[in-house]
Amino acid sequence: MLEELKQEVYEANMMLPKLGIVTFTWGNVSGIDREKNLFVIKPSGVPYEDLKPSDMVVVDLEGHVVEGDMNPSSDTMTHLVLYKAFPNIKAVVHTHSKWAVSFAEAGVPIEALGTTHADTFYGDVPVTDALTKQEIEEAYEENTGKVIVRTFKEYGIDPDAVPAVLVKQHGPFTWGPSPKKAVENAKILEVVAEMNYHALQLTRADIRVPQFLLDKHYYRKHGANAYYGQNNAKSKSGVTHK
Amino acid sequence: MLEELKQEVYEANMMLPKLGIVTFTWGNVSGIDREKNLFVIKPSGVPYEDLKPSDMVVVDLEGHVVEGDMNPSSDTMTHLVLYKAFPNIKAVVHTHSKWAVSFAEAGVPIEALGTTHADTFYGDVPVTDALTKQEIEEAYEENTGKVIVRTFKEYGIDPDAVPAVLVKQHGPFTWGPSPKKAVENAKILEVVAEMNYHALQLTRADIRVPQFLLDKHYYRKHGANAYYGQNNAKSKSGVTHK
Amino acid sequence: MLEELKQEVYEANMMLPKLGIVTFTWGNVSGIDREKNLFVIKPSGVPYEDLKPSDMVVVDLEGHVVEGDMNPSSDTMTHLVLYKAFPNIKAVVHTHSKWAVSFAEAGVPIEALGTTHADTFYGDVPVTDALTKQEIEEAYEENTGKVIVRTFKEYGIDPDAVPAVLVKQHGPFTWGPSPKKAVENAKILEVVAEMNYHALQLTRADIRVPQFLLDKHYYRKHGANAYYGQNNAKSKSGVTHK
Amino acid sequence: MLEELKQEVYEANMMLPKLGIVTFTWGNVSGIDREKNLFVIKPSGVPYEDLKPSDMVVVDLEGHVVEGDMNPSSDTMTHLVLYKAFPNIKAVVHTHSKWAVSFAEAGVPIEALGTTHADTFYGDVPVTDALTKQEIEEAYEENTGKVIVRTFKEYGIDPDAVPAVLVKQHGPFTWGPSPKKAVENAKILEVVAEMNYHALQLTRADIRVPQFLLDKHYYRKHGANAYYGQNNAKSKSGVTHK
């Protein structure tokens, strides 16, 4: 069942240690088949060196395991809520990467301070509210998903344009159009968090970039007028092909 | 004598350089056989690349070497005191890992600021008092153990729930139910210290997590109701197996 | 066409991941043939592990691709402007290396605080102004080059003596007499930025080095009286050959 | 000539990149034969991957190259001055390791804040004065050695007990009883600098350790009563051999 997606999700999970954004088993990647409404996720607490594609667990959008002997990631319900609320995303990643977690613990959003940020995140990466006692005790993982969705709604942020969030007191979740892309977003968030941290220690000036810089850099890489990379018919960077 | 435990303690010692929490020979792991009341510990000052399982030294709880030609770790008496005072622990680790040492030198406890901490440490990791001149001169290593035990008693901390401490002006000790687990705790302490450091520079707000978050995350991984990982009959994360 | 230069530019591009100053595809190196007025540059968005010497794109100084099927780096026009304005340079490098970007985001120049800096950069590495809305919308990459050139003119800095700049809100560009040298300058800028960051957090004193230290260290390695390395007939460090 | 010493100095030089305390060619190690009054030093500017034992240059204490075709390290005269002034040392190391350089640039000594420091350095590692214009222009490298010697004399520091210094605006020099030991001291200085930096950001309290802690830790590893490691007849850590 979903063998191709399992392979893809497995490979994306294995990118986490390679990219240096996971310690021990503290991370998980899932990917969804939007036609079948089933998603594939890492089993809970399995070391990366032991992981196999066939270990991936298949879960439906009601939270039932439909294939796999292992317990799925304890964060499964958070992934599920995000898949339901954000209809375009096809993969979700959760890590405890160090720089992003530091911002989540401090409750400080990762503001857009430069082009490195703007290339991937079209605006600040927000921090959610802390979960309440009731939210934690009643349905912790599900409510983690809900507070993310609420944050994006309240701030009016498009989850396709800002594919990342910091859950207060916890850490980052990222997503994207594929497991690989969602993991890349997790790495980029970590790099941008590190850059922000040091920039914020170097000055007390307001150094957030203006909207027109966000527009330029984000749309250089995304959408119909993108001209970064090789998948665009014609370069629009001022260089012309004879 | 205790060949299996020696192998286990040897392997746990070898994890220290692999996890990047030791420089040169500045770390040691021991493990105890609670029935025989003997513990096995790394010899003093031997480089990790030269270490063999048969080099491990066997010591009894009166501080007598009962097997092994080499001098045991100079910190042996500290391990011994911890084994005597904390009856459930089966392994002790000491390192000079960089982030944890910085907190120990500053005399700043590693407070619980997020779920990464709460997954392993059920509350703040305390700092001991500095040893007095007399304590250092009379029985330095033994008194290092005693100040740890005193700290846990004074603050009313359960050493099984918070398996780590910072000895002021010195560095971290961790412990656990096995040598491998105790080393993992040493690595987690280091990661959490690094996260804390950066969070503390990002804000002056009080960002310690509430008790109910500690409860949720600690008991998600520990005790009868744990549902993280594969060793629990039934997932309690909201996902159901059909 | 320009096979030797392509090989050289390819090898210099491959130094970026090896030196740890690039994440994903966020960097590019070019090299110029000053007689033919053609430069060779990395194609846009191609992962380093897939890159081949034959992928390099050849561009003329009017911004026309004269050889190569791929889109050249989206930053090609910036390289072009630098080649035109700085007649002695033979290679240009752009990265998003983390420490240099943090300074660029904060708008803080990398001042000369020590001999490590002075060995390569004969004075402070400046930060440009931020690009205006009009500059970004009309010809972003070309204007990025122009703001660099303007900065060096305004401050009266010799680009051969200070082969690096920080573009505000963006990141570093470096250059040099060869692709390899320009990449080394990118790495040195990163190292010096990291040292500066920590020095600036350690003290509020004015710790910029005096001109005579800059003179000594820069000219120990550069120009007719250089005596560092093996390419000087006679050591002038006070040691004499019998 | 001095083939064994050349091999030893070569191997110590090769430890620098392995220990992560050198960038490009920015480091050098020398070792002296005290009977012959000749020292062996790395040639200037040669990349570590190209270095061979036979490249080592032999220099006498008047600063004459007595064997070797290459230019010796441009810092040769600094080594020479240290050999003459500190009669017990047998090796000298200079690097531009990042944390130590940051302290040297800031002009902040590396104070003894914990046992990691005290195990190797019996007190604070001092910073020299900055060299004057005249000192730099007349005999830069020789005067670098002289300002080190002057600093130790003025503060009354024993160079055998504190085998390290920071040259203001420049970086660290370390030394020791062998090339290997001197390189280990360079690494330890770097580790201790990093720990100090973070401890200093965590608190404004005076966290220097008391003299009796320095005494305990330094003499646990050095001198007639040392009991760390395997070269002492009898453990004095409270553990007894039956």
Side-chain angles (χ1 to χ4, degrees), chain A residues 219-238:
Chain A
Y219 290 114
R220 207 164 80 137
K221 282 201 168 179
H222 300 86
N225 290 311
Y227 57 87
Y228 182 93
Q230 299 301 330
N231 298 324
N232 305 294
K234 211 169 177 307
S235 166
K236 287 169 188 162
S237 64

Side-chain angles (χ1 to χ4, degrees), chain B residues 116-131:
Chain B
T116 319
H117 185 111
D119 279 337
T120 300
F121 304 115
Y122 187 47
D124 300 347
V125 174
V127 190
T128 69
D129 287 335
L131 292 194

Side-chain angles (χ1 to χ4, degrees), chain C residues 22-159:
Chain C
V22 82
T23 304
F24 297 128
T25 60
W26 309 345
N28 44 71
V29 182
S30 72
I32 194 167
D33 181 320
R34 284 287 182 189
E35 293 188 7
K36 298 200 174 72
N37 275 328
L38 295 172
F39 66 100
V40 163
I41 191 164
K42 179 177 177 290
S44 183
V46 175
Y48 288 98
E49 55 269 34
D50 301 338
L51 207 60
K52 301 184 300 290
S54 59
D55 292 339
M56 301 298 121
V57 183
V58 182
V59 184
D60 69 21
L61 287 179
E62 279 76 50
H64 303 303
V65 171
V66 299
E67 196 198 55
D69 299 325
M70 291 189 175
N71 287 335
S73 163
S74 57
D75 300 308
T76 297
M77 287 303 288
T78 312
H79 291 239
L80 184 152
V81 171
L82 297 180
Y83 284 129
K84 279 174 133 171
F86 299 161
N88 299 325
I89 70 174
K90 289 200 164 161
V92 173
V93 177
H94 173 50
T95 78
H96 285 237
S97 66
K98 290 184 287 190
W99 291 97
V101 166
S102 295
F103 277 79
E105 290 184 350
V108 175
I110 300 178
E111 297 179 338
L113 303 185
T115 60
T116 319
H117 185 111
D119 278 337
T120 300
F121 305 114
Y122 187 48
D124 299 348
V125 174
V127 190
T128 69
D129 287 335
L131 292 194
T132 63
K133 188 164 192 290
Q134 198 182 341
E135 285 172 328
I136 285 181
E137 288 174 358
E138 281 181 6
Y140 177 54
E141 291 80 6
E142 192 178 342
N143 285 327
T144 299
K146 285 184 178 169
V147 78
I148 295 172
V149 174
R150 205 162 67 222
T151 301
F152 275 67
K153 218 166 271 179
E154 274 173 17
Y155 289 129
I157 303 173
D158 174 0

Side-chain angles (χ1 to χ4, degrees), chain A residues 14-230:
Chain A
M14 296 307 287
M15 288 172 69
L16 298 180
K18 210 187 142 195
L19 291 171
I21 52 176
V22 83
T23 304
F24 296 127
T25 60
W26 308 345
N28 44 71
V29 183
S30 71
I32 194 167
D33 182 320
R34 283 288 182 189
E35 295 188 6
K36 298 200 175 72
N37 275 327
L38 296 172
F39 66 99
V40 163
I41 192 164
K42 179 177 177 289
S44 182
V46 176
Y48 288 97
E49 56 269 32
D50 300 338
L51 206 61
K52 300 182 300 292
S54 60
D55 293 338
M56 301 298 120
V57 183
V58 183
V59 184
D60 69 21
L61 287 178
E62 279 76 51
H64 303 303
V65 171
V66 299
E67 197 199 57
D69 299 325
M70 290 189 176
N71 287 335
S73 162
S74 57
D75 300 307
T76 297
M77 286 304 287
T78 312
H79 291 239
L80 185 153
V81 170
L82 296 180
Y83 284 127
K84 280 175 134 170
F86 299 161
N88 299 324
I89 69 173
K90 289 200 163 159
V92 173
V93 177
H94 173 50
T95 77
H96 286 238
S97 66
K98 290 184 286 189
W99 291 97
V101 166
S102 295
F103 278 78
E105 290 184 349
V108 175
I110 301 179
E111 297 179 337
L113 303 185
T115 61
T116 319
H117 185 111
D119 279 337
T120 299
F121 305 114
Y122 187 48
D124 299 348
V125 174
V127 190
T128 69
D129 287 336
L131 292 194
T132 64
K133 187 166 193 287
Q134 198 183 339
E135 285 171 329
I136 285 182
E137 288 173 357
E138 281 182 7
Y140 176 55
E141 292 81 6
E142 192 178 344
N143 286 328
T144 298
K146 286 185 177 168
V147 79
I148 295 172
V149 175
R150 205 163 67 221
T151 301
F152 275 67
K153 218 166 269 179
E154 274 172 16
Y155 289 128
I157 303 173
D158 174 1
D160 299 328
V162 180
V165 72
L166 302 178
V167 176
K168 182 106 183 264
Q169 298 169 340
H170 188 156
F173 283 81
T174 61
W175 45 82
S178 72
K180 190 185 170 209
K181 267 286 179 192
V183 170
E184 286 178 0
N185 289 342
K187 173 68 179 181
I188 294 168
L189 184 70
E190 182 69 0
V191 170
V192 168
E194 182 177 352
M195 289 170 172
N196 268 34
Y197 175 87
H198 294 118
L200 292 173
Q201 307 288 322
L202 282 169
T203 182
R204 294 186 183 187
D206 181 359
I207 53 174
R208 288 166 85 191
V209 295
Q211 185 61 37
F212 53 84
L213 184 80
L214 280 175
D215 289 342
K216 180 66 190 182
H217 262 267
Y218 190 71
Y219 290 114
R220 207 164 80 137
K221 282 201 168 179
H222 300 86
N225 290 311
Y227 57 87
Y228 182 93
Q230 299 301 330

Side-chain angles (χ1 to χ4, degrees), chain B residues 25-26 43-44 63-65 70-71 74 76-77 96 98-99 101-102 105 133 136 140-141 169-170 197 201, chain D residues 113-116 188 194-195 198-199 201 207 210 212-213 216-217 220 227-230 232 237 239-241:
Chain B
T25 60
W26 309 344
S44 182
H64 303 303
V65 171
M70 291 190 176
N71 286 336
S74 57
T76 297
M77 286 304 287
H96 285 238
K98 290 185 285 190
W99 292 97
V101 166
S102 295
E105 290 184 350
K133 188 165 191 289
I136 286 181
Y140 176 56
E141 292 79 8
Q169 298 168 338
H170 188 157
Y197 175 88
Q201 307 288 322
Chain D
L113 304 184
T115 59
T116 319
I188 294 168
E194 182 176 352
M195 289 170 170
H198 293 118
Q201 306 288 321
I207 52 174
F212 54 83
L213 184 79
K216 179 66 189 181
H217 262 267
R220 207 164 78 136
Y227 58 87
Y228 183 93
Q230 300 301 330
N232 305 294
S237 63
V239 185
T240 53
H241 288 259

